[in-house]
Amino acid sequence: MRRKLVVGNWKMHGSVATNKTLLAGIISGVQNLDNSDCAVCVPYPYLCQTQLFLQDTKVAWGAQNLCPNEDGALTGAVSSAMLVDYGCTYVILGHSERRIQFHETDETAAARFNAALKAGLTPVFCMGESKEERESDWTEYVVGRQLDSIIRRFGAEVLTKAVLAYEPLWAVGTGNPATPEQAQKVHQFIRRRVAKCNPEVAAELRILYGGSVKPSNAAQLFGMPDIDGGLIGGASLEAEQFVAICKAANDAACSVSEQVALEES
Ligand code: PEP
C-alpha cells in the first residue's frame, strides 16, 4: 500500500532565525504521525541547518533543484553529490517556476532527474498545465508529454525510485486549488499511463498534488484514490498549517488501512 507523503517547498523563503521556529514546530507537530511521511525542501544555504535540526526525527529533507553535471566550472551550480553530503533524501525537479522563470525544459529536467537517481536522491518530479492549456483541453497532452520525457529516456521502472507531483500552474500560489475531482482525474490519467508500461510500478507510484493546498482542503484532496499526498508551497512556511496538512495525510492513510482491514476480514 502506498504511504502518503507531504513535502514542503519553501521556495526562496526563510532565514536562520525563522527556520528555527518553523522546524521546531514541524518536528513536534508530526512526532506521532506514524502512518505517513513528511519532508521539507529548503533553499541550499539552509541545508546544513535543516540537517542539524531534522536528523533523527521523522521529518526528511531535501533541495529544490540540482545541476546535472558532477562538477566543473559552473558558477552558482550545486551538484547531486553536494545534496547527498547534506543528508538530502528528496529533490524537487521540473517545478513550473524553474521551467518558466529559469527556462528549464523537458530535456534539462530529465537530465536533472537522471543525476538525482544516480546519486540515490528521490526526485519529486513536477508536471502540470497552464490555465490556457487547460482551457484548450490540452491537460493530458501536456502532462503526458512531461511524463514521457522521463519514461521514454529512462523507462517506467525508474519511477519506483521517484515521486511525481501534479501541479497545475493555475493553482500554484494562486489560492485557487484544483477541486479534488479535477486533481483525481489527472492523477488517474498519470497512473494509467505509467500502468501501460508497467502496472506494478504504477500501483506503487506516489503521485502528489500541489497547488494551493491548505488545511481546509487537504483532507478532501488526500481522500481521493490516486492522490498520495501533497507538495505544499505557501502553507509549508507556517508550522501550524503544515502540520495540519501532514495530519490530514496521516488521517487519510489511517482510513484507507481501516478500509483494507475491513475488506480482508
Ligand atoms: C508549489 O510551489 O509547489 C506549490 C504547490 O505552491 P502553493 O502551495 O503555494 O500553491
Side-chain angles (χ1 to χ4, degrees):
M1 208 171 61
R2 301 187 298 269
R3 270 174 80 82
K4 302 269 185 206
L5 168 66
V6 176
V7 179
N9 174 11
W10 288 10
K11 312 195 187 195
M12 200 174 73
H13 293 292
S15 69
V16 169
T18 59
N19 299 346
K20 279 186 192 165
T21 319
L22 177 53
L23 289 169
I26 295 172
I27 294 166
S28 73
V30 305
Q31 63 183 339
N32 295 321
L33 305 183
D34 291 327
N35 295 302
S36 56
D37 300 322
C38 85
V40 290
C41 288
V42 308
Y44 296 136
Y46 301 135
L47 280 173
C48 181
Q49 182 192 23
T50 302
Q51 180 180 32
L52 286 172
F53 264 78
L54 296 184
Q55 60 196 351
D56 305 320
T57 73
K58 279 204 158 72
V59 189
W61 63 94
Q64 301 165 20
N65 202 8
L66 56 72
C67 173
N69 299 53
E70 280 179 21
D71 53 24
L74 293 156
T75 304
V78 170
S79 73
S80 55
M82 293 172 185
L83 302 186
V84 172
D85 265 349
Y86 283 95
C88 291
T89 300
Y90 296 101
V91 58
I92 298 172
L93 296 174
H95 192 281
S96 55
E97 287 155 15
R98 298 295 318 177
R99 290 178 191 262
I100 295 168
Q101 296 176 56
F102 297 90
H103 313 295
E104 291 186 13
T105 61
D106 287 347
E107 285 69 34
T108 62
R112 289 174 160 83
F113 184 97
N114 194 33
L117 285 189
K118 278 194 183 158
L121 296 162
T122 302
V124 179
F125 187 77
C126 303
M127 304 173 296
E129 81 288 2
S130 67
K131 183 168 178 283
E132 295 70 31
E133 287 162 344
R134 171 161 283 261
E135 285 168 357
S136 312
D137 210 12
W138 286 2
T139 300
E140 293 190 356
Y141 168 76
V142 172
V143 173
R145 190 203 72 218
Q146 293 167 336
L147 178 59
D148 289 354
S149 75
I150 299 301
I151 296 179
R152 289 227 175 95
R153 283 181 178 80
F154 311 119
E157 289 66 34
V158 295
L159 296 176
T160 54
K161 297 186 193 122
V163 171
L164 298 180
Y166 170 55
E167 293 214 315
L169 275 59
W170 45 272
V172 172
T174 60
N176 173 33
T179 64
E181 293 73 22
Q182 282 173 320
Q184 165 59 24
K185 197 166 171 236
V186 182
H187 282 231
Q188 186 180 61
F189 162 76
I190 294 168
R191 200 177 302 286
R192 286 187 175 162
R193 197 164 178 114
V194 176
K196 279 189 192 149
C197 305
N198 188 321
E200 289 83 28
V201 171
E204 292 304 314
L205 177 63
R206 295 201 279 193
I207 310 173
L208 311 184
Y209 166 77
S212 300
V213 178
K214 305 282 174 227
S216 55
N217 58 21
Q220 274 187 306
L221 284 160
F222 300 162
M224 302 310 274
D226 288 297
I227 301 185
D228 304 309
L231 180 54
I232 318 298
S236 72
L237 300 172
E238 295 281 341
E240 205 178 314
Q241 288 197 37
F242 187 64
V243 166
I245 293 169
C246 293
K247 282 190 178 144
N250 201 66
D251 291 348
C254 292
S255 52
V256 171
S257 40
E258 275 161 23
Q259 212 175 313
V260 170
L262 264 178
E263 280 164 15
E264 284 172 358
S265 67

